[in-house]
Amino acid sequence: MCPNCEDFARTVLLLGQLALYADMRGADLDFVEAVSTSLAVSLPEPPPGTFQSGYDSEDGSTHPDEDS
């Protein structure tokens, strides 16, 4: 297993759980904003194979059904 795979998976899981919390009635959206930003910034490099080849984090990637 790659050295950052566990950290990446754990951080993505936390972001997902935070998104679910944000949709709950009475959620503290200031908390969500502060924590989501911190979690997103702390993401390590994604494990190899996470994104399709040619993915550019600056421009995004093309959808498989779209022309390049």
Side-chain angles (χ1 to χ4, degrees):
M1 184 175 215
C2 66
N4 291 332
C5 289
E6 188 176 335
D7 289 340
F8 183 81
R10 184 181 304 118
T11 304
V12 169
L13 177 66
L14 287 170
L15 282 166
Q17 290 174 331
L18 189 62
L20 292 173
Y21 169 72
D23 285 340
M24 293 175 57
R25 173 176 285 149
D28 181 348
L29 298 181
D30 290 333
F31 170 80
V32 171
E33 184 177 339
V35 173
S36 63
T37 302
S38 298
L39 281 173
V41 169
S42 74
L43 273 170
E45 283 292 316
T50 301
F51 297 107
Q52 67 188 32
S53 63
Y55 176 80
D56 182 349
S57 62
E58 297 297 318
D59 294 331
S61 63
T62 58
H63 188 275
D65 296 334
E66 295 176 353
D67 292 329
S68 301

